[in-house]
Amino acid sequence: MSASPASVRASAWAALERHARELAATRIAALFEDAPERARDMSASACGLYLDYSKQRMSARTRELLLALAEACALATWRERMFAGEAVNGTEDRAALHVALRWPPGQPMPGSTLARSAPQEVEQVLARIAAFCDAVRGARWTGFTGEPVRDVVNIGIGGSDLGPAMVCRALQAWSDGRLRCHFVSNVDSTDLASVLAACDPRSTLFIVASKTFSTEETLLNARSARAWLVAAAGGDEAAVQRHFVAVSSALERCAAFGIPAPNVFGFWDWVGGRYSLWSAIGLSIALFAGMDAFRALQRGAHAMDRHFLEAPAAMNLPVLLALIGVWNRSLLDCPTHAVLPYDHALALLPAYLQQLEMESNGKGVDRAGATLQRPAAPVLWGTLGNNGQHAFYQMMHQGLDSVPADIIVPAASQQPLPGHEDALVANALAQAEAFMRGRSLDEARASLAGSGLDGDALERAARHRVMPGNRASSVLLYRRLTPEVLGSLIALYEHKVFVQAVCWDINPFDQFGVELGKELAKSLRPLLEGRGEAGAHDASTRELVARVLALRAGQ
Ligand code: F6P
């Protein structure tokens, strides 16, 4: 009798747990001594991206066992199901077909009717977006006084903000300067107000981006922006249609808001919010960097989709990146993971990945609803690597917690100046080396030779300079950040998250955890307006509401 899928998975996990115990005392440096080819053997490349994971706390045997885990978890079958447009989002009975958003329409897409028809539907919307971009960028789309558009304000939050904002920032060098692009997400009116202060209503175009068109923050910001515009147009409501477009899968709600159908760019319920920048949600990208750059971004993502589908698991970048993460999180118990881009253009990548990874895999139950045996998504954090060096790297080098990191390195800058590129790359590679190597007590003592210290004073000073090392990192290297490379990089992380979800047996495509806070906020709103019953809330919350009211009353 053959073993059940659950017991095959359990024994793959058990083998990894045994192996993790065996490897616990082995240092990464020793693994390099044992395997002279390690740097090459523990690397893979695709789509212009080179992944060096040789500075991870893992051996070739670890990789073998992790690949066995992926197989035991039926990764190939899950991947096929996702690309075929099957309802891999089981709790919401939906497909997760973001790969169709960048699938060339003339080429067959594997699988179901949905997967076959989706690229054509996508192309129709993209054609409308291209025409709209032409009109706006070519100054044929004008505002209520006949002024061409100068400022584009994307109003959205979560996936309707983080993706396009991150990409626009990354592709600044592709902007011809015709349009300025702003992103408003926070319900704190300081966000909207400061953007509006920099814009002229006669030449400002608002994109209301919301998949559901029911998100409170977005609708509130959109209403305030609309009031600002209508006031500037002397109360003429007709001005709205010259200045507001919407991107949504809820077309009736856009109409109810007063945005006419020709100004609405649709997408589908099979596009998750955090996977939506390739859809019409990317309208701000196409306006800012141009349609060619947007298409190139999609081509890069599609190249990674093909690689994910076709490359053997041991050479497959998303699979490797995912398994390394599973190893660090689930077997080595590292609770956090740092993303450290050394490319200035990727300043917003960590924030984008926080949603992608933590909203997807920050779950406590498996697909069947059973409590997970080990925690899934780590806390993902990070910022520009070079800046981080002068801030939190201290903790990464000497704190007692071990923080695995992705160090993202461009060989060449988007906007080079003499001397900067070498300084940047030297810093990035030095940090990866320092994380692994550390500094022993003997080395620390030696570094103090000539300092005049001796005895206890020397010993004490040396101890403060010791770095344990053996801290894991991977380097992701590419030549220069182009739209294609960026597209591949984003798709790499999207698929990484999917592979991890398969290993942890969770559904990465729902996000019920965000709902309770939204519901409670709704019931607190009346209390802040001095109406309603506070009884449903706890004593601390009631006290805080009372204090807010008192502060506002100037007491
Ligand atoms: O509250 C979480 C969330 O639903 C995200 O998943 C989503 O990206 C974001 O809110 C915005 O949602 P929408 O695009 O529907 O406004």
Side-chain angles (χ1 to χ4, degrees), residues 157-160 210-212 215 273-274 355 359 511 514 518:
I157 198 165
S160 300
S210 176
K211 178 178 172 185
T212 55
T215 303
R274 51 196 173 272
Q355 187 198 18
E359 200 175 63
Q511 59 283 320
V514 303
K518 290 184 191 175

Side-chain angles (χ1 to χ4, degrees), residues 88-426:
V88 288
N89 176 355
T91 51
E92 296 176 306
D93 194 26
R94 278 185 198 156
L97 206 48
H98 41 285
V99 290
L101 297 169
R102 59 247 186 167
W103 200 275
Q107 291 177 25
M109 195 175 173
S112 75
T113 326
L114 173 59
R116 276 197 294 274
S117 61
Q120 275 79 18
E121 289 184 43
V122 171
E123 194 50 35
Q124 284 164 14
V125 177
L126 285 178
R128 284 188 58 219
I129 289 179
F132 180 69
C133 285
D134 259 6
V136 173
R137 290 166 58 80
R140 281 178 284 110
W141 178 286
T142 54
F144 66 89
T145 60
E147 288 272 321
V149 174
R150 173 83 189 105
D151 289 283
V152 174
V153 182
N154 186 88
I155 298 179
I157 198 165
S160 300
D161 166 68
L162 291 162
M166 182 269 288
V167 172
C168 284
R169 176 80 184 260
L171 297 184
Q172 236 160 32
W174 269 257
S175 162
D176 56 12
R178 269 185 241 185
L179 298 173
R180 296 189 300 190
C181 214
H182 315 266
F183 290 86
V184 171
S185 54
N186 199 334
V187 77
D188 180 346
S189 43
T190 303
D191 193 5
L192 178 65
S194 56
V195 167
L196 296 184
C199 296
D200 179 338
R202 292 168 303 179
S203 54
T204 300
L205 176 73
F206 294 96
I207 302 172
V208 187
S210 176
K211 178 178 172 185
T212 55
F213 223 82
S214 64
T215 303
E216 192 198 16
E217 294 89 335
T218 299
L219 293 185
L220 204 49
N221 277 322
R223 280 191 211 105
S224 299
R226 181 194 166 124
W228 174 80
L229 190 265
V230 171
D236 182 6
E237 287 280 339
V240 171
Q241 59 184 295
R242 306 296 316 154
H243 292 266
F244 275 78
V245 296
V247 178
S248 184
S249 63
L251 306 186
E252 327 72 50
R253 292 196 185 130
C254 300
F257 184 86
I259 302 183
N263 289 17
V264 179
F265 300 90
F267 62 108
W268 307 268
D269 72 353
W270 43 261
V271 181
R274 51 196 173 272
Y275 302 86
S276 65
L277 72 89
W278 323 96
S279 72
I281 288 288
L283 178 59
S284 51
I285 303 170
L287 283 165
F288 179 65
M291 197 64 198
D292 287 349
F294 188 57
R295 293 269 189 193
L297 185 79
Q298 290 189 319
R299 273 200 304 281
H302 178 66
M304 183 55 74
D305 296 341
R306 291 265 185 198
H307 167 78
F308 178 47
L309 262 180
E310 292 159 10
M315 301 303 288
N316 195 305
L317 291 187
V319 174
L320 290 168
L321 207 60
L323 294 177
I324 293 163
V326 167
W327 172 247
N328 284 325
R329 178 68 183 114
S330 302
L331 283 313
L332 302 186
D333 292 326
C334 299
T336 83
H337 176 82
V339 174
L340 307 168
Y342 276 75
D343 196 321
H344 195 74
L346 293 178
L348 299 183
L349 183 70
Y352 167 79
L353 291 180
Q354 281 184 329
Q355 187 198 18
L356 182 65
E357 301 218 359
M358 295 201 276
E359 200 175 63
S360 297
N361 285 341
K363 309 282 168 64
V365 296
D366 67 15
R367 286 182 188 272
T371 304
L372 294 179
Q373 287 175 15
R374 39 185 85 73
V379 174
L380 187 145
W381 59 286
T383 190
L384 289 169
N386 190 225
N387 297 3
Q389 284 176 216
H390 298 271
F392 54 77
Y393 275 39
Q394 161 62 38
M395 177 268 187
M396 295 179 74
H397 285 295
Q398 286 193 310
L400 294 184
D401 287 309
S402 191
V403 182
D406 290 355
I407 297 180
I408 302 177
V409 188
S413 173
Q414 279 184 343
Q415 307 190 49
L417 288 173
H420 288 246
E421 284 175 331
D422 289 352
L424 183 83
V425 173

Side-chain angles (χ1 to χ4, degrees), residues 2 64 150 189 280 332 353 360 380 411 427-428 452 490 497 499 551:
S2 64
E64 223 173 85
R150 173 83 189 105
S189 43
L332 302 186
L353 291 180
S360 297
L380 187 145
N427 271 289
I490 301 169
V497 169
V499 175
L551 284 167

